[in-house]
Amino acid sequence: MTSSARPLLNRRLAEFGTTIFAEMSALAVATGAINLGQGFPDTDGPEAIREAAVRALRDGRGNQYPPGPGVPELRTAVAAHQLRRYGLSYDPDTEVLVTAGATEAIAAALLALVEPGDEVVALEPYYDSYAACIAMAGGRRVPVTLRPHEGAFRLDLDELRAAVTDRTRLLLLNTPHNPTGAVLTRAELTAVAELAVERDLLVVTDEVYEHLVFDDAEHIPLATLPGMRDRTVTVGSAGKTFSFTGWKVGWITAAPGLVTAVRSAKQFLTYVASGPFQYAVAEALALPESYFAAFREDMRARREVLAAGLAEAGFGVFKPAGTYFITTDIRPLGESDGFAFCRSLPERAGVVAIPNAVFYDHRTEGAPYVRFAFCKQIPVLEEAASRLKALAG
Ligand SMILES: *Cc1c(COP(=O)(O)O)cnc(C)c1O
């Protein structure tokens, strides 16, 4: 018998409600505002890769359940990519697992590796699925807050060390970091690695923006640091790198024991996904370096347009070293509540943005920050910049 007094949504998920992206995207549609909220490109990825997906469909590759770990072509391509770019050697048969996007990889990793009651230390602000996945796994999240320092968000290493207790099982990292655009430096990653080794922690590191780093910033996979390869689950995805966010092809690379554990959870989530797209992504990962360089340069140019527009409109701008997001400070505009600001922005300026506070447990820490996505066509960004000037007026 069900009791009407008992809520339908269970206690683990009750606090999460509907994601902010649904609310803000609906607002964009209702008001005709330019949607710089959700981070998806408004231009599809390479034609040749789309054609590869069509070919796979036509040739009957991946139309039925692909193998549980992913098609061999893709696992081999992921391993080759990690070796070529980072000198990281993984066995495609035992150390690579294909997932339904990075989202499933993160969910499966947490469900597999976290015991109820374990503490999971994660960088705050965090990607919106992290808190919910830690909760579904029965873990306790322990945020370590990134704070502005000399124009960029930085990790306080003392705070990180203080956050680790005897109950900590896992560090959940994200670099390049959404939403702040921070790219963890070698010094920061070295400190993380030393801590993980000293306290015998597992690390799940979300590196879906590995190819989107700008200027002098360098993406350094945590798994390349001493002592880390065998305790790190590295998460990648085709969505952001190849501008096919709807394909939902992601992967992990890790030591065999970790891959086996994560696969145990993954097999009961989707089992498999995205059959024909897996073959296309295998081809995408083998694209020449010129593709990745042009993609980076293209996004850098977009960042310049939006960053300049936001500064001109009066925002405090944290120019991102990576990702396709710009976090801004609204206090120079005389505002302090990002939620209220984002709810009124479509009306005031015809633009939609996301209040960073939704990515914080410490909501007041995140209150003055607002995130804009720049993975949009230059004329769209120019129009948004021109509309935002109304705020300076
Ligand atoms: C977009 C995003 C993801 C999700 O990637 P999918 O492959 O689309 O599931 C995960 N982590 C971060 C930080 C992201 O920005």
Side-chain angles (χ1 to χ4, degrees):
M1 226 175 76
T2 61
S3 155
S4 59
R6 185 175 151 179
L8 293 174
L9 185 60
N10 70 41
R11 215 179 297 142
R12 293 191 302 286
L13 288 172
E15 69 173 290
F16 298 108
T18 308
T19 105
I20 187 74
F21 300 106
E23 180 188 344
M24 289 300 162
S25 292
L27 197 57
V29 171
T31 58
I34 297 175
N35 191 353
L36 302 186
Q38 204 167 12
F40 62 89
D42 62 356
T43 311
D44 288 343
E47 180 65 32
I49 303 306
R50 267 184 286 168
E51 285 305 320
V54 171
R55 235 185 305 119
L57 269 163
R58 288 226 174 89
D59 296 350
R61 286 178 300 144
N63 292 328
Q64 310 304 330
Y65 296 133
V71 304
E73 287 83 346
L74 179 52
R75 284 184 278 119
T76 301
V78 167
H81 173 270
Q82 296 306 89
L83 184 61
R84 191 172 68 240
R85 284 199 83 81
Y86 308 121
L88 280 167
S89 171
Y90 288 100
D91 178 344
D93 290 329
T94 57
E95 299 187 308
V96 180
L97 174 67
V98 176
T99 56
T103 306
E104 189 196 34
I106 293 157
L110 291 167
L111 288 168
L113 303 173
V114 172
E115 219 42 275
D118 282 350
E119 292 179 358
V120 175
V121 172
L123 307 183
E124 174 186 70
Y126 26 60
Y127 182 64
D128 72 333
S129 81
Y130 295 178
C133 286
I134 294 168
M136 286 192 274
R140 243 177 47 74
R141 64 182 185 273
V142 178
V144 174
T145 310
L146 302 180
R147 292 208 185 76
H149 179 70
E150 292 172 357
F153 282 78
R154 296 267 58 108
L155 174 60
D156 182 324
L157 296 171
D158 291 329
E159 246 179 87
L160 176 68
R161 283 186 205 102
V164 173
T165 74
D166 292 342
R167 290 179 302 280
T168 310
R169 172 64 166 163
L170 188 147
L171 301 178
L172 177 51
L173 233 61
N174 170 216
T175 183
H177 184 262
N178 173 9
T180 65
V183 175
L184 295 184
T185 62
R186 185 172 291 279
E188 288 168 327
L189 290 165
T190 300
V192 169
E194 285 169 0
L195 183 63
V197 170
E198 180 194 323
R199 305 299 294 265
D200 194 21
L201 306 174
L202 299 174
V203 184
V204 174
T205 168
D206 177 346
E207 303 184 358
V208 302
Y209 295 102
E210 62 188 305
H211 288 284
L212 276 179
V213 289
F214 309 116
D215 311 325
D216 300 333
E218 184 195 0
H219 172 68
I220 302 165
L222 188 69
T224 60
L225 277 96
M228 293 314 291
R229 187 196 179 279
D230 290 342
R231 63 175 71 245
T232 301
V233 175
T234 303
V235 176
S237 170
K240 309 295 163 55
T241 298
F242 301 109
S243 300
F244 291 119
T245 60
W247 287 11
K248 296 300 285 190
V249 177
W251 53 82
I252 64 163
T253 48
L258 286 167
V259 164
T260 302
V262 176
R263 201 172 68 214
S264 299
K266 185 257 182 311
Q267 68 186 334
F268 298 121
L269 295 173
T270 59
Y271 177 49
V272 293
S274 313
F277 297 128
Q278 291 191 25
Y279 293 96
V281 171
E283 293 192 26
L285 283 168
L287 285 169
E289 178 52 31
S290 57
Y291 165 78
F292 299 94
F295 177 61
R296 221 171 4 252
E297 178 49 32
D298 180 50
M299 284 296 174
R300 196 193 61 79
R302 296 171 199 229
R303 178 191 66 162
E304 297 308 307
V305 171
L306 188 61
L310 289 165
E312 208 179 321
F315 290 86
V317 174
F318 297 96
K319 205 166 183 181
T323 77
Y324 44 48
F325 300 107
I326 298 179
T327 282
T328 60
D329 187 338
I330 58 174
R331 283 171 294 191
L333 290 163
E335 305 269 351
S336 56
D337 177 352
F339 270 108
F341 179 81
C342 287
R343 290 207 170 97
S344 71
L345 195 58
E347 189 78 16
R348 290 171 69 190
V351 174
V352 162
I354 296 289
N356 283 25
V358 299
F359 306 124
Y360 286 78
D361 281 325
H362 305 105
R363 291 258 158 141
T364 47
E365 288 259 11
Y369 305 118
V370 165
R371 189 194 83 175
F372 294 83
F374 58 84
C375 46
K376 309 294 174 182
Q377 294 174 48
I378 298 266
V380 174
L381 298 172
E382 286 171 343
E383 173 61 22
S386 137
R387 291 183 184 189
L388 287 164
K389 277 190 206 140
L391 297 171

PDB file of all heavy atoms in Angstrom, residues 39 100-104 106 127 129-130 174 176-178 206-209 235-240 244-246 248-250 324-325 371, ligand 1:
ATOM      1  N   GLY A  39      25.231  24.566 -22.617  1.00  0.00           N
ATOM      2  CA  GLY A  39      26.451  24.512 -23.408  1.00  0.00           C
ATOM      3  C   GLY A  39      26.402  23.511 -24.536  1.00  0.00           C
ATOM      4  O   GLY A  39      27.014  22.453 -24.454  1.00  0.00           O
ATOM      5  N   ALA A 100      27.594   5.817 -22.413  1.00  0.00           N
ATOM      6  CA  ALA A 100      26.621   6.728 -23.018  1.00  0.00           C
ATOM      7  C   ALA A 100      26.960   8.149 -22.558  1.00  0.00           C
ATOM      8  O   ALA A 100      26.365   8.698 -21.634  1.00  0.00           O
ATOM      9  CB  ALA A 100      25.205   6.346 -22.604  1.00  0.00           C
ATOM     10  N   GLY A 101      27.952   8.725 -23.189  1.00  0.00           N
ATOM     11  CA  GLY A 101      28.431  10.052 -22.817  1.00  0.00           C
ATOM     12  C   GLY A 101      29.231  10.008 -21.530  1.00  0.00           C
ATOM     13  O   GLY A 101      29.298   8.975 -20.851  1.00  0.00           O
ATOM     14  N   ALA A 102      29.844  11.152 -21.224  1.00  0.00           N
ATOM     15  CA  ALA A 102      30.570  11.263 -19.964  1.00  0.00           C
ATOM     16  C   ALA A 102      29.602  11.150 -18.795  1.00  0.00           C
ATOM     17  O   ALA A 102      29.970  10.705 -17.710  1.00  0.00           O
ATOM     18  CB  ALA A 102      31.318  12.588 -19.909  1.00  0.00           C
ATOM     19  N   THR A 103      28.362  11.543 -19.005  1.00  0.00           N
ATOM     20  CA  THR A 103      27.363  11.507 -17.927  1.00  0.00           C
ATOM     21  C   THR A 103      27.229  10.095 -17.372  1.00  0.00           C
ATOM     22  O   THR A 103      27.238   9.892 -16.152  1.00  0.00           O
ATOM     23  CB  THR A 103      26.006  12.000 -18.454  1.00  0.00           C
ATOM     24  OG1 THR A 103      26.202  13.281 -19.054  1.00  0.00           O
ATOM     25  CG2 THR A 103      24.992  12.129 -17.334  1.00  0.00           C
ATOM     26  N   GLU A 104      27.102   9.107 -18.262  1.00  0.00           N
ATOM     27  CA  GLU A 104      26.981   7.737 -17.759  1.00  0.00           C
ATOM     28  C   GLU A 104      28.286   7.254 -17.153  1.00  0.00           C
ATOM     29  O   GLU A 104      28.284   6.497 -16.176  1.00  0.00           O
ATOM     30  CB  GLU A 104      26.548   6.768 -18.862  1.00  0.00           C
ATOM     31  CG  GLU A 104      26.210   5.411 -18.262  1.00  0.00           C
ATOM     32  CD  GLU A 104      26.142   4.278 -19.275  1.00  0.00           C
ATOM     33  OE1 GLU A 104      26.908   4.281 -20.259  1.00  0.00           O
ATOM     34  OE2 GLU A 104      25.310   3.387 -19.065  1.00  0.00           O
ATOM     35  N   ILE A 106      30.432   8.963 -15.464  1.00  0.00           N
ATOM     36  CA  ILE A 106      30.531   9.501 -14.106  1.00  0.00           C
ATOM     37  C   ILE A 106      29.560   8.765 -13.174  1.00  0.00           C
ATOM     38  O   ILE A 106      29.916   8.358 -12.066  1.00  0.00           O
ATOM     39  CB  ILE A 106      30.241  11.021 -14.124  1.00  0.00           C
ATOM     40  CG1 ILE A 106      31.363  11.741 -14.877  1.00  0.00           C
ATOM     41  CG2 ILE A 106      30.077  11.570 -12.720  1.00  0.00           C
ATOM     42  CD1 ILE A 106      30.961  13.093 -15.444  1.00  0.00           C
ATOM     43  N   TYR A 127      29.791  20.435 -11.937  1.00  0.00           N
ATOM     44  CA  TYR A 127      28.884  20.048 -13.017  1.00  0.00           C
ATOM     45  C   TYR A 127      27.623  19.441 -12.396  1.00  0.00           C
ATOM     46  O   TYR A 127      27.695  18.695 -11.429  1.00  0.00           O
ATOM     47  CB  TYR A 127      29.603  19.054 -13.927  1.00  0.00           C
ATOM     48  CG  TYR A 127      28.789  18.630 -15.106  1.00  0.00           C
ATOM     49  CD1 TYR A 127      28.419  19.550 -16.083  1.00  0.00           C
ATOM     50  CD2 TYR A 127      28.366  17.313 -15.234  1.00  0.00           C
ATOM     51  CE1 TYR A 127      27.656  19.168 -17.159  1.00  0.00           C
ATOM     52  CE2 TYR A 127      27.605  16.923 -16.319  1.00  0.00           C
ATOM     53  CZ  TYR A 127      27.250  17.862 -17.273  1.00  0.00           C
ATOM     54  OH  TYR A 127      26.489  17.479 -18.333  1.00  0.00           O
ATOM     55  N   SER A 129      25.507  17.102 -12.706  1.00  0.00           N
ATOM     56  CA  SER A 129      25.190  15.697 -12.423  1.00  0.00           C
ATOM     57  C   SER A 129      25.981  15.129 -11.237  1.00  0.00           C
ATOM     58  O   SER A 129      25.609  14.103 -10.681  1.00  0.00           O
ATOM     59  CB  SER A 129      25.415  14.818 -13.658  1.00  0.00           C
ATOM     60  OG  SER A 129      26.782  14.487 -13.815  1.00  0.00           O
ATOM     61  N   TYR A 130      27.076  15.784 -10.836  1.00  0.00           N
ATOM     62  CA  TYR A 130      27.937  15.181  -9.808  1.00  0.00           C
ATOM     63  C   TYR A 130      27.196  14.969  -8.488  1.00  0.00           C
ATOM     64  O   TYR A 130      27.255  13.893  -7.899  1.00  0.00           O
ATOM     65  CB  TYR A 130      29.168  16.046  -9.515  1.00  0.00           C
ATOM     66  CG  TYR A 130      30.163  16.223 -10.626  1.00  0.00           C
ATOM     67  CD1 TYR A 130      31.280  17.027 -10.425  1.00  0.00           C
ATOM     68  CD2 TYR A 130      30.023  15.607 -11.860  1.00  0.00           C
ATOM     69  CE1 TYR A 130      32.224  17.218 -11.412  1.00  0.00           C
ATOM     70  CE2 TYR A 130      30.960  15.797 -12.866  1.00  0.00           C
ATOM     71  CZ  TYR A 130      32.059  16.610 -12.633  1.00  0.00           C
ATOM     72  OH  TYR A 130      32.993  16.815 -13.615  1.00  0.00           O
ATOM     73  N   ASN A 174      37.573  17.858 -12.118  1.00  0.00           N
ATOM     74  CA  ASN A 174      37.151  18.276 -13.452  1.00  0.00           C
ATOM     75  C   ASN A 174      38.118  19.359 -13.933  1.00  0.00           C
ATOM     76  O   ASN A 174      38.192  20.414 -13.335  1.00  0.00           O
ATOM     77  CB  ASN A 174      35.704  18.796 -13.376  1.00  0.00           C
ATOM     78  CG  ASN A 174      35.220  19.483 -14.654  1.00  0.00           C
ATOM     79  OD1 ASN A 174      34.471  20.449 -14.593  1.00  0.00           O
ATOM     80  ND2 ASN A 174      35.646  19.006 -15.792  1.00  0.00           N
ATOM     81  N   PRO A 176      39.783  20.719 -17.963  1.00  0.00           N
ATOM     82  CA  PRO A 176      39.308  22.086 -17.752  1.00  0.00           C
ATOM     83  C   PRO A 176      37.938  22.112 -17.085  1.00  0.00           C
ATOM     84  O   PRO A 176      37.129  21.224 -17.315  1.00  0.00           O
ATOM     85  CB  PRO A 176      39.245  22.654 -19.169  1.00  0.00           C
ATOM     86  CG  PRO A 176      40.241  21.840 -19.957  1.00  0.00           C
ATOM     87  CD  PRO A 176      40.179  20.474 -19.367  1.00  0.00           C
ATOM     88  N   HIS A 177      37.738  23.144 -16.257  1.00  0.00           N
ATOM     89  CA  HIS A 177      36.628  23.137 -15.310  1.00  0.00           C
ATOM     90  C   HIS A 177      35.413  23.936 -15.780  1.00  0.00           C
ATOM     91  O   HIS A 177      35.522  25.124 -16.098  1.00  0.00           O
ATOM     92  CB  HIS A 177      37.130  23.704 -13.976  1.00  0.00           C
ATOM     93  CG  HIS A 177      36.117  23.676 -12.882  1.00  0.00           C
ATOM     94  ND1 HIS A 177      35.361  24.765 -12.547  1.00  0.00           N
ATOM     95  CD2 HIS A 177      35.724  22.675 -12.065  1.00  0.00           C
ATOM     96  CE1 HIS A 177      34.550  24.431 -11.553  1.00  0.00           C
ATOM     97  NE2 HIS A 177      34.747  23.187 -11.246  1.00  0.00           N
ATOM     98  N   ASN A 178      34.284  23.246 -15.802  1.00  0.00           N
ATOM     99  CA  ASN A 178      32.981  23.852 -16.064  1.00  0.00           C
ATOM    100  C   ASN A 178      32.317  24.085 -14.707  1.00  0.00           C
ATOM    101  O   ASN A 178      32.198  23.129 -13.943  1.00  0.00           O
ATOM    102  CB  ASN A 178      32.155  22.859 -16.915  1.00  0.00           C
ATOM    103  CG  ASN A 178      30.728  23.291 -17.122  1.00  0.00           C
ATOM    104  OD1 ASN A 178      30.332  24.401 -16.794  1.00  0.00           O
ATOM    105  ND2 ASN A 178      29.924  22.389 -17.666  1.00  0.00           N
ATOM    106  N   ASP A 206      37.140  14.191 -14.731  1.00  0.00           N
ATOM    107  CA  ASP A 206      36.287  14.517 -15.876  1.00  0.00           C
ATOM    108  C   ASP A 206      37.069  15.469 -16.776  1.00  0.00           C
ATOM    109  O   ASP A 206      37.285  16.629 -16.431  1.00  0.00           O
ATOM    110  CB  ASP A 206      35.004  15.157 -15.330  1.00  0.00           C
ATOM    111  CG  ASP A 206      34.041  15.614 -16.423  1.00  0.00           C
ATOM    112  OD1 ASP A 206      34.444  15.692 -17.599  1.00  0.00           O
ATOM    113  OD2 ASP A 206      32.883  15.917 -16.074  1.00  0.00           O
ATOM    114  N   GLU A 207      37.509  14.945 -17.934  1.00  0.00           N
ATOM    115  CA  GLU A 207      38.373  15.725 -18.823  1.00  0.00           C
ATOM    116  C   GLU A 207      37.710  15.937 -20.184  1.00  0.00           C
ATOM    117  O   GLU A 207      38.379  15.951 -21.228  1.00  0.00           O
ATOM    118  CB  GLU A 207      39.754  15.035 -18.916  1.00  0.00           C
ATOM    119  CG  GLU A 207      40.372  14.884 -17.511  1.00  0.00           C
ATOM    120  CD  GLU A 207      41.785  14.309 -17.448  1.00  0.00           C
ATOM    121  OE1 GLU A 207      42.346  13.951 -18.504  1.00  0.00           O
ATOM    122  OE2 GLU A 207      42.326  14.229 -16.319  1.00  0.00           O
ATOM    123  N   VAL A 208      36.387  16.154 -20.175  1.00  0.00           N
ATOM    124  CA  VAL A 208      35.660  16.254 -21.459  1.00  0.00           C
ATOM    125  C   VAL A 208      36.069  17.492 -22.268  1.00  0.00           C
ATOM    126  O   VAL A 208      35.849  17.527 -23.471  1.00  0.00           O
ATOM    127  CB  VAL A 208      34.116  16.235 -21.287  1.00  0.00           C
ATOM    128  CG1 VAL A 208      33.657  14.977 -20.593  1.00  0.00           C
ATOM    129  CG2 VAL A 208      33.608  17.468 -20.593  1.00  0.00           C
ATOM    130  N   TYR A 209      36.684  18.481 -21.611  1.00  0.00           N
ATOM    131  CA  TYR A 209      37.144  19.670 -22.346  1.00  0.00           C
ATOM    132  C   TYR A 209      38.644  19.623 -22.614  1.00  0.00           C
ATOM    133  O   TYR A 209      39.281  20.665 -22.793  1.00  0.00           O
ATOM    134  CB  TYR A 209      36.789  20.948 -21.577  1.00  0.00           C
ATOM    135  CG  TYR A 209      35.295  21.155 -21.470  1.00  0.00           C
ATOM    136  CD1 TYR A 209      34.622  20.849 -20.297  1.00  0.00           C
ATOM    137  CD2 TYR A 209      34.555  21.625 -22.553  1.00  0.00           C
ATOM    138  CE1 TYR A 209      33.241  21.004 -20.203  1.00  0.00           C
ATOM    139  CE2 TYR A 209      33.189  21.781 -22.468  1.00  0.00           C
ATOM    140  CZ  TYR A 209      32.540  21.467 -21.295  1.00  0.00           C
ATOM    141  OH  TYR A 209      31.180  21.617 -21.218  1.00  0.00           O
ATOM    142  N   VAL A 235      37.782  10.312 -17.552  1.00  0.00           N
ATOM    143  CA  VAL A 235      36.536  10.344 -18.315  1.00  0.00           C
ATOM    144  C   VAL A 235      36.705  11.268 -19.522  1.00  0.00           C
ATOM    145  O   VAL A 235      37.153  12.410 -19.386  1.00  0.00           O
ATOM    146  CB  VAL A 235      35.377  10.865 -17.433  1.00  0.00           C
ATOM    147  CG1 VAL A 235      34.093  10.989 -18.247  1.00  0.00           C
ATOM    148  CG2 VAL A 235      35.168   9.941 -16.228  1.00  0.00           C
ATOM    149  N   GLY A 236      36.343  10.765 -20.708  1.00  0.00           N
ATOM    150  CA  GLY A 236      36.381  11.568 -21.930  1.00  0.00           C
ATOM    151  C   GLY A 236      35.045  11.508 -22.642  1.00  0.00           C
ATOM    152  O   GLY A 236      34.162  10.721 -22.282  1.00  0.00           O
ATOM    153  N   SER A 237      34.881  12.355 -23.649  1.00  0.00           N
ATOM    154  CA  SER A 237      33.625  12.367 -24.398  1.00  0.00           C
ATOM    155  C   SER A 237      33.841  12.971 -25.777  1.00  0.00           C
ATOM    156  O   SER A 237      34.664  13.870 -25.951  1.00  0.00           O
ATOM    157  CB  SER A 237      32.580  13.187 -23.648  1.00  0.00           C
ATOM    158  OG  SER A 237      31.435  13.393 -24.457  1.00  0.00           O
ATOM    159  N   ALA A 238      33.058  12.482 -26.736  1.00  0.00           N
ATOM    160  CA  ALA A 238      33.105  13.051 -28.085  1.00  0.00           C
ATOM    161  C   ALA A 238      32.252  14.304 -28.196  1.00  0.00           C
ATOM    162  O   ALA A 238      32.437  15.111 -29.107  1.00  0.00           O
ATOM    163  CB  ALA A 238      32.614  12.009 -29.095  1.00  0.00           C
ATOM    164  N   GLY A 239      31.307  14.479 -27.281  1.00  0.00           N
ATOM    165  CA  GLY A 239      30.315  15.543 -27.419  1.00  0.00           C
ATOM    166  C   GLY A 239      30.919  16.917 -27.587  1.00  0.00           C
ATOM    167  O   GLY A 239      30.602  17.647 -28.542  1.00  0.00           O
ATOM    168  N   LYS A 240      31.817  17.285 -26.692  1.00  0.00           N
ATOM    169  CA  LYS A 240      32.367  18.634 -26.682  1.00  0.00           C
ATOM    170  C   LYS A 240      33.475  18.771 -27.723  1.00  0.00           C
ATOM    171  O   LYS A 240      33.562  19.786 -28.411  1.00  0.00           O
ATOM    172  CB  LYS A 240      32.901  18.974 -25.279  1.00  0.00           C
ATOM    173  CG  LYS A 240      31.900  18.722 -24.150  1.00  0.00           C
ATOM    174  CD  LYS A 240      30.675  19.616 -24.223  1.00  0.00           C
ATOM    175  CE  LYS A 240      29.487  19.150 -23.390  1.00  0.00           C
ATOM    176  NZ  LYS A 240      29.675  18.904 -21.986  1.00  0.00           N
ATOM    177  N   PHE A 244      29.246  17.080 -31.263  1.00  0.00           N
ATOM    178  CA  PHE A 244      28.112  16.168 -31.445  1.00  0.00           C
ATOM    179  C   PHE A 244      27.570  15.796 -30.061  1.00  0.00           C
ATOM    180  O   PHE A 244      27.653  14.640 -29.633  1.00  0.00           O
ATOM    181  CB  PHE A 244      28.548  14.898 -32.194  1.00  0.00           C
ATOM    182  CG  PHE A 244      28.914  15.113 -33.646  1.00  0.00           C
ATOM    183  CD1 PHE A 244      30.190  14.834 -34.104  1.00  0.00           C
ATOM    184  CD2 PHE A 244      27.966  15.593 -34.547  1.00  0.00           C
ATOM    185  CE1 PHE A 244      30.527  15.022 -35.449  1.00  0.00           C
ATOM    186  CE2 PHE A 244      28.298  15.790 -35.890  1.00  0.00           C
ATOM    187  CZ  PHE A 244      29.577  15.508 -36.342  1.00  0.00           C
ATOM    188  N   THR A 245      27.008  16.768 -29.372  1.00  0.00           N
ATOM    189  CA  THR A 245      26.584  16.490 -27.988  1.00  0.00           C
ATOM    190  C   THR A 245      25.392  15.529 -27.935  1.00  0.00           C
ATOM    191  O   THR A 245      25.146  14.905 -26.915  1.00  0.00           O
ATOM    192  CB  THR A 245      26.239  17.783 -27.222  1.00  0.00           C
ATOM    193  OG1 THR A 245      25.172  18.459 -27.911  1.00  0.00           O
ATOM    194  CG2 THR A 245      27.435  18.712 -27.114  1.00  0.00           C
ATOM    195  N   GLY A 246      24.649  15.416 -29.059  1.00  0.00           N
ATOM    196  CA  GLY A 246      23.496  14.518 -29.078  1.00  0.00           C
ATOM    197  C   GLY A 246      23.849  13.052 -29.293  1.00  0.00           C
ATOM    198  O   GLY A 246      23.007  12.184 -29.121  1.00  0.00           O
ATOM    199  N   LYS A 248      26.070  11.272 -27.611  1.00  0.00           N
ATOM    200  CA  LYS A 248      26.297  10.608 -26.330  1.00  0.00           C
ATOM    201  C   LYS A 248      27.259   9.430 -26.450  1.00  0.00           C
ATOM    202  O   LYS A 248      26.925   8.273 -26.158  1.00  0.00           O
ATOM    203  CB  LYS A 248      24.963  10.152 -25.727  1.00  0.00           C
ATOM    204  CG  LYS A 248      24.017  11.299 -25.377  1.00  0.00           C
ATOM    205  CD  LYS A 248      24.580  12.271 -24.364  1.00  0.00           C
ATOM    206  CE  LYS A 248      24.575  11.716 -22.965  1.00  0.00           C
ATOM    207  NZ  LYS A 248      24.906  12.821 -21.989  1.00  0.00           N
ATOM    208  N   VAL A 249      28.455   9.747 -26.899  1.00  0.00           N
ATOM    209  CA  VAL A 249      29.528   8.750 -26.891  1.00  0.00           C
ATOM    210  C   VAL A 249      30.620   9.252 -25.944  1.00  0.00           C
ATOM    211  O   VAL A 249      31.215  10.301 -26.179  1.00  0.00           O
ATOM    212  CB  VAL A 249      30.119   8.517 -28.294  1.00  0.00           C
ATOM    213  CG1 VAL A 249      31.288   7.524 -28.224  1.00  0.00           C
ATOM    214  CG2 VAL A 249      29.041   8.010 -29.249  1.00  0.00           C
ATOM    215  N   GLY A 250      30.819   8.513 -24.868  1.00  0.00           N
ATOM    216  CA  GLY A 250      31.879   8.843 -23.918  1.00  0.00           C
ATOM    217  C   GLY A 250      32.689   7.602 -23.617  1.00  0.00           C
ATOM    218  O   GLY A 250      32.440   6.533 -24.191  1.00  0.00           O
ATOM    219  N   TYR A 324      34.109  25.999 -22.983  1.00  0.00           N
ATOM    220  CA  TYR A 324      33.477  27.064 -23.763  1.00  0.00           C
ATOM    221  C   TYR A 324      32.496  27.891 -22.946  1.00  0.00           C
ATOM    222  O   TYR A 324      31.488  28.338 -23.443  1.00  0.00           O
ATOM    223  CB  TYR A 324      32.934  26.603 -25.107  1.00  0.00           C
ATOM    224  CG  TYR A 324      32.152  25.316 -25.241  1.00  0.00           C
ATOM    225  CD1 TYR A 324      31.107  24.995 -24.395  1.00  0.00           C
ATOM    226  CD2 TYR A 324      32.427  24.459 -26.307  1.00  0.00           C
ATOM    227  CE1 TYR A 324      30.369  23.830 -24.596  1.00  0.00           C
ATOM    228  CE2 TYR A 324      31.705  23.297 -26.523  1.00  0.00           C
ATOM    229  CZ  TYR A 324      30.683  22.991 -25.658  1.00  0.00           C
ATOM    230  OH  TYR A 324      29.960  21.859 -25.875  1.00  0.00           O
ATOM    231  N   PHE A 325      32.873  28.129 -21.692  1.00  0.00           N
ATOM    232  CA  PHE A 325      32.055  28.955 -20.800  1.00  0.00           C
ATOM    233  C   PHE A 325      32.858  30.129 -20.245  1.00  0.00           C
ATOM    234  O   PHE A 325      34.054  29.999 -20.006  1.00  0.00           O
ATOM    235  CB  PHE A 325      31.556  28.122 -19.616  1.00  0.00           C
ATOM    236  CG  PHE A 325      30.729  26.950 -20.030  1.00  0.00           C
ATOM    237  CD1 PHE A 325      31.240  25.659 -19.947  1.00  0.00           C
ATOM    238  CD2 PHE A 325      29.455  27.124 -20.543  1.00  0.00           C
ATOM    239  CE1 PHE A 325      30.478  24.568 -20.358  1.00  0.00           C
ATOM    240  CE2 PHE A 325      28.694  26.036 -20.951  1.00  0.00           C
ATOM    241  CZ  PHE A 325      29.209  24.760 -20.861  1.00  0.00           C
ATOM    242  N   ARG A 371      27.075  32.340 -15.592  1.00  0.00           N
ATOM    243  CA  ARG A 371      27.819  31.681 -16.671  1.00  0.00           C
ATOM    244  C   ARG A 371      27.177  31.893 -18.040  1.00  0.00           C
ATOM    245  O   ARG A 371      25.967  31.738 -18.194  1.00  0.00           O
ATOM    246  CB  ARG A 371      27.889  30.176 -16.377  1.00  0.00           C
ATOM    247  CG  ARG A 371      28.815  29.402 -17.297  1.00  0.00           C
ATOM    248  CD  ARG A 371      28.594  27.910 -17.195  1.00  0.00           C
ATOM    249  NE  ARG A 371      27.478  27.480 -18.024  1.00  0.00           N
ATOM    250  CZ  ARG A 371      27.112  26.205 -18.218  1.00  0.00           C
ATOM    251  NH1 ARG A 371      27.757  25.238 -17.582  1.00  0.00           N
ATOM    252  NH2 ARG A 371      26.104  25.921 -19.000  1.00  0.00           N
TER     253      ARG A 371
HETATM  254  C1  LIG B   1      28.945  18.337 -20.948  1.00  0.00           C
HETATM  255  C2  LIG B   1      29.660  17.795 -19.759  1.00  0.00           C
HETATM  256  C3  LIG B   1      29.556  16.444 -19.405  1.00  0.00           C
HETATM  257  C4  LIG B   1      28.610  15.492 -20.100  1.00  0.00           C
HETATM  258  O1  LIG B   1      29.146  14.968 -21.239  1.00  0.00           O
HETATM  259  P1  LIG B   1      28.259  13.999 -22.178  1.00  0.00           P
HETATM  260  O2  LIG B   1      29.293  13.275 -22.951  1.00  0.00           O
HETATM  261  O3  LIG B   1      27.365  14.861 -22.987  1.00  0.00           O
HETATM  262  O4  LIG B   1      27.492  13.098 -21.284  1.00  0.00           O
HETATM  263  C5  LIG B   1      30.286  15.980 -18.329  1.00  0.00           C
HETATM  264  N1  LIG B   1      31.080  16.809 -17.624  1.00  0.00           N
HETATM  265  C6  LIG B   1      31.198  18.109 -17.913  1.00  0.00           C
HETATM  266  C7  LIG B   1      32.080  18.971 -17.098  1.00  0.00           C
HETATM  267  C8  LIG B   1      30.484  18.652 -18.981  1.00  0.00           C
HETATM  268  O5  LIG B   1      30.554  19.960 -19.239  1.00  0.00           O
END
